Amino acid sequence: TFQTLISVPSAPGAITVLSSTDVSMDVAFDAAKPHGSAILSYTFELCALRCVLVNPSFSPVSPQISLTLSAASTPAAAAILVPGQNFSLRVFATNGEGNGPWSPVNEEAETAAPPEKVQNLQQADNPPGIDNATAINVVWDAPNSFGKDIIRYWVEMEGDSDS
């Protein structure tokens, strides 16, 4: 007689970030194999910035963000995150027999965040040789870009025009 054993689930597959906002991200992964007992939940662990993996959890190198979230299935969503932040992210599955092993760590999960609003926008003197009738020079304080390069600024001007 041959009998299969029921055991904890396998590790889920690698995590992929499907989309993100400034405070949330949607992720997907290959579901864990249930090994004879239905998957009850998935538990995610996120760690911001520099984290080291200390069995069984992430340990921030310095006081940073580390949180654990649960979801019923893939895909899943993590919310209340920090704008423009990089995260290390991993997941494990739980069935009636217990917790399975962790998935591979995704060290490239990142929330998106637009730059903050430009401050102190003002007109400045035009450089020598620039015609004041056809050009305007504006300056501003660079906004917080949450660690990302700002690739362009969009400047609009309203006012009367004689031409």
Side-chain angles (χ1 to χ4, degrees), residues 15-137:
I15 299 171
T16 302
V17 177
L18 300 175
S19 64
S20 67
T21 69
D22 58 342
V23 294
S24 69
M25 66 178 65
D26 294 322
V27 298
F29 49 89
D30 290 333
K33 294 180 178 139
H35 293 171
S37 179
I39 303 291
L40 302 174
S41 68
Y42 288 93
T43 301
F44 297 86
E45 186 176 49
L46 296 92
C47 187
L49 298 177
R50 294 181 31 209
C51 297
V52 292
L53 194 56
V54 176
N55 205 6
S57 64
F58 287 118
S59 175
V61 172
S62 58
Q64 304 297 340
I65 297 170
S66 183
L67 39 112
T68 302
L69 307 164
S70 292
S73 63
T74 181
I80 316 173
L81 303 177
V82 176
Q85 184 69 65
N86 292 340
F87 290 90
S88 296
L89 176 64
R90 64 185 184 163
V91 61
F92 70 79
T94 300
N95 66 11
E97 299 298 306
N99 299 335
W102 288 104
S103 70
V105 175
N106 178 333
E107 295 184 10
E108 298 178 12
E110 176 181 8
T111 52
E116 291 180 342
K117 183 178 177 181
V118 167
Q119 299 293 319
N120 299 319
L121 178 66
Q122 53 190 301
Q123 183 176 353
D125 293 334
N126 281 338
I130 301 296
D131 182 2
N132 289 333
T134 60
I136 185 172
N137 187 22

